[in-house]
Amino acid sequence: MYAIIPQQIPQDKRAEVNEKILFAINSGKDLIPAESIYNCYTGVGGLHNLRQSDFASYHEYARAKKEFELGQFFTPHEICWEMVDVLSPTSSEMVLDMCCGMGNFFNHLPNRHNTYGFDIDGKAVAVARYLYPDAHIEKCDIQQYRPEQRFDIIIGNPPFNLKFDFRLSQEYYMDKLVGFARKKRLGDLLVDAGVISQDQLVKALQVQKTEKQGERLGVVLIDLGFTDEKQIVEALKAQLKIQSIDLSTLRIPEEIIRLLDEAVLRKYNLIPFKFNEKNPNLLCVAMSDPLDIRAMDDVSIITGCQVERFAATPSDIAAAIDRYYGNAEALRVAEQYTREKQEQAKARAALDPGSGNDENNVQQAPIVKLLGQIIEQAVHKRASDIHIEPMENQVRIRFRVDGVLHEAMRHDISLHAALIARIKIVSGLDISEKRRPQDGRATSIVDRQEYDIRVSVLPTVYGEKVVMRLAQKKALTLDKRDLGFPEEELKKFDHILSHPNGLILVTGPTGSGKSTTLYTALNELNVEGVNIITVEDPVEANLNGVNQVQVNEKAGLTFSSALRSILRQDPDIIMIGEIRDQETAEIAVKASITGHLVVSTLHTNSSANTITRLADMGVENYLIADSVVGVIAQRLVRRVCPACGIVREATAGEKKILGIKDPARRINVRTPGHKECVRCGGTGYYGRIGIYEIMPVTADLRQAINRGENADVLEEIALTHGMKTLRMSAIDYALRGITTVEEVQRVAYDDEED
């Protein structure tokens, strides 16, 4: 790199200095140091023989510059240095300098092997080639320049007020610049940032060309496990020097929503969220691919605004689109179906009286699309269940989010029959049977994730009600520390799992996370040298190295029949999805006594009630005492939304619920915030956490079980050995601000509270 040495060469001496420099270069002798040439050569444009003050107008001055000096102005060395500092080119990037002159810009680049330039001034080109022998410099006009490669960075100080193809030089050069430019690719950017390796990029590109044609590269990289959404966003921020945006905390104004159609947003996976505060013509847009020039151009053309890029994850953008457009799209589809049905009803009836049945209606595209919209919305709102409920004139659709039902939409009752029929078809149920309950299963893919859907159909007064339970495949937590166990409870959990044989029971209502706990326990126990067999209905997640059996009652494969066969498979550990009857309970107990470790679930309200439930099923007390080594009762309480939760002092009534004896004691609690919160959708809660009641079966408890003591006595004994009840755990979370007092009441109600 040549040092910048300020020179004060008199105007009348510059032509002479330039000629001496050219003579020294042409002679082939090292007559003048290269650094002096770099600082002293000014070229034709540097003579500045023409002054604007000598002309009547700027137009006449520009014309004279064009005729006498080729419109040249050499960019000062200091400006070139500042340009490189701003652009910060890497050594791997390809750089082009249009109208490079004697190469002032080249001096500051990190890798001149990747540097290209051209100029129409042969003298300037000669100087540039002498100073930068590693660079690729051509003498030609822009109309003749035909590079074989494309460039990452293009700069230039082209002549002005010239015309090419009837266009001003500035416009012409800008068009050429676009043609020379190489769009910065996401893969190259991620490699430069160290997020993925070059080999991983090559692999992903191959998969994109063969197996996932038409899919975005970022999606392919995530599917292959090479990176994740957050890593891509962080890389885009760092490499492109742009900001990221958390869409879940924003409320997008209505006037912004109306700017673009949903189809455009989903096509490019972007969403505008505000106007720039300083420039109302600048539209702030969250993009999953801020390198997508076409997307930015389309947004600019449609809105009439320039685009300011922000990085965001594809899932956040998809969720935002669904939040602001999902219901509207579902309503549009429903209206379309209703309108088409009304318009075609008479014609269908005239041609074929039987053509208006559900089997025909269900094949119509609007119904298929509507069901897809409902499932997508449920996933984006973190729903565990979808309820489709017929009413007298309407069909109501509700989502269970964080354990509580919320109404999502309503449609005309005319949609109900076709919608139910469509659900039956995809879940393998009898479409003609409408008088008896039915159960089925289906799968759906949303945001590249596969979901298992359990379907239950129940006849009601106004028609069939459907409940669809959503379960993301491979989404179960398998790390015990992610279950939310406090440290003391985690030690008890580990102690129970350490037994070589016996019966471990996990209890709680439907949807309380029992399956997650069971799978986590199995993951802890799944080591080489151990034969684990499970009997489940359904198999909710695949575990490597575990033999999993799916119950099929139609084929005669029940829990009890499967268990009899499993005992002949030399198992060490047996997992039973649920103990439903006396026969299954007796087999499980006997298996645990004969040297096997058995884990299973029951539906009871507490750990102590689990013992009495086994007795109610007909299992002898002495068998229960000998077999059960531990019981885990659990619930899920809702977390207070971190975005809108409010901290305040607890009332007297709340202190009483929390067990605070001193009414003067100051206690702070958190409560849900305002109804306009985007993060939680106005519910005040976001996500759930487990509360646990872990009861290891001690010697005292065994004696009490043998005596046939009731649940209250068993609980008192367990409490003396340090057991925390569900209510104690819930109160602890409320005092820590994780959940609310209302949740303590809802999930861990105590009859003896007063």
Side-chain angles (χ1 to χ4, degrees), residues 538-557:
V539 175
E540 297 187 27
N542 297 322
L543 296 176
N544 291 329
V546 176
N547 305 285
Q548 297 173 272
V549 179
Q550 170 73 55
V551 168
N552 186 350
E553 293 187 358
K554 292 182 180 178
L557 185 62

Side-chain angles (χ1 to χ4, degrees), residues 14 40 94 113 171 245 260 473 549 556 565 635:
R14 291 188 176 186
C40 296
M94 307 294 288
H113 288 285
E171 182 183 349
I245 189 69
L260 293 164
K473 291 188 175 182
V549 179
S565 300
R635 300 285 192 281

Side-chain angles (χ1 to χ4, degrees), residues 190-204:
L190 294 177
V191 171
D192 292 342
V195 175
I196 61 173
S197 66
Q198 186 65 39
D199 291 341
Q200 288 175 325
L201 174 59
V202 172
K203 172 67 174 177

Side-chain angles (χ1 to χ4, degrees), residues 210-498:
T210 56
E211 303 174 23
K212 297 182 180 288
Q213 294 182 6
E215 191 65 89
R216 294 177 180 269
L217 179 62
V219 174
V220 177
L221 289 167
I222 294 170
D223 290 344
L224 292 173
F226 294 159
T227 185
D228 56 42
E229 290 184 338
K230 291 184 178 179
Q231 286 182 317
I232 292 177
V233 168
E234 291 301 315
L236 289 170
K237 284 175 56 180
Q239 294 292 308
L240 301 179
K241 296 180 174 58
I242 61 175
Q243 299 180 53
S244 62
I245 189 69
D246 183 3
L247 295 169
S248 65
T249 61
L250 294 179
R251 180 164 293 278
I252 304 175
E254 185 65 28
E255 63 268 21
I256 301 293
I257 296 297
R258 290 197 296 264
L259 289 174
L260 293 164
D261 290 336
E262 182 187 1
V264 175
L265 305 185
R266 294 196 184 276
K267 177 181 178 181
Y268 295 119
N269 201 24
L270 55 82
I271 188 169
F273 58 91
K274 70 174 183 178
F275 289 111
N276 187 285
E277 296 175 357
K278 297 180 179 179
N279 184 359
N281 293 320
L282 194 59
L283 183 64
C284 299
V285 181
M287 306 177 67
S288 63
D289 185 5
L291 297 166
D292 194 337
I293 303 297
R294 181 175 293 180
M296 289 188 287
D297 287 344
D298 281 1
V299 172
S300 294
I301 292 170
I302 296 170
T303 63
C305 300
Q306 295 298 311
V307 172
E308 182 178 1
R309 302 175 295 174
F310 288 76
T313 64
S315 58
D316 283 351
I317 294 174
I321 295 173
D322 186 77
R323 186 163 60 248
Y324 291 102
Y325 295 87
N327 265 354
E329 177 65 12
L331 288 170
R332 189 190 65 78
V333 171
E335 290 173 359
Q336 178 187 352
Y337 173 79
T338 303
R339 185 172 57 254
E340 290 179 357
K341 184 178 180 182
Q342 292 172 347
E343 292 175 353
Q344 300 173 8
K346 293 182 180 180
R348 288 200 307 267
L351 295 172
D352 183 3
S355 64
N357 58 24
D358 298 335
E359 291 83 348
N360 290 328
N361 290 340
V362 78
Q363 301 299 336
Q364 297 186 20
I367 287 298
V368 176
K369 192 172 183 180
L370 177 61
L371 180 59
Q373 287 284 332
I374 293 171
I375 294 172
E376 283 186 21
Q377 276 198 65
V379 169
H380 292 157
K381 292 183 178 181
R382 304 176 295 105
S384 61
D385 300 85
I386 302 170
H387 290 239
I388 301 176
E389 304 165 313
M391 306 172 77
E392 186 174 3
N393 298 312
Q394 293 179 312
V395 54
R396 179 175 64 176
I397 298 172
R398 295 192 290 174
F399 298 154
R400 187 176 295 278
V401 181
D402 295 332
V404 179
L405 283 170
H406 302 275
E407 185 171 317
M409 63 189 80
R410 292 189 181 216
H411 297 301
D412 189 88
I413 192 63
S414 61
L415 284 166
H416 177 259
L419 183 59
I420 299 301
R422 176 62 187 173
I423 294 171
K424 287 181 177 180
I425 288 175
V426 299
S427 56
L429 302 179
D430 185 354
I431 194 173
S432 62
E433 180 56 68
K434 301 179 182 181
R435 296 172 297 176
R436 293 186 301 176
Q438 296 187 74
D439 295 319
R441 295 183 66 177
T443 59
S444 181
I445 296 177
V446 180
D447 298 337
R448 307 183 310 279
Q449 298 292 332
E450 188 175 6
Y451 290 82
D452 183 80
I453 305 174
R454 282 184 278 172
V455 179
S456 174
V457 182
L458 179 70
T460 68
V461 174
Y462 293 113
E464 293 175 290
K465 176 188 175 182
V466 172
V467 175
M468 296 186 288
R469 168 152 292 191
L470 306 177
Q472 184 179 344
K473 291 188 175 182
K474 301 179 180 179
L476 291 177
T477 299
L478 296 180
D479 188 340
K480 61 185 179 182
R481 296 192 176 276
D482 293 335
L483 292 175
F485 284 118
E487 196 62 36
E488 294 180 2
E489 303 303 289
L490 186 60
K491 291 179 181 178
K492 295 178 184 177
F493 181 73
D494 289 336
H495 173 70
I496 291 174
L497 292 184
S498 66

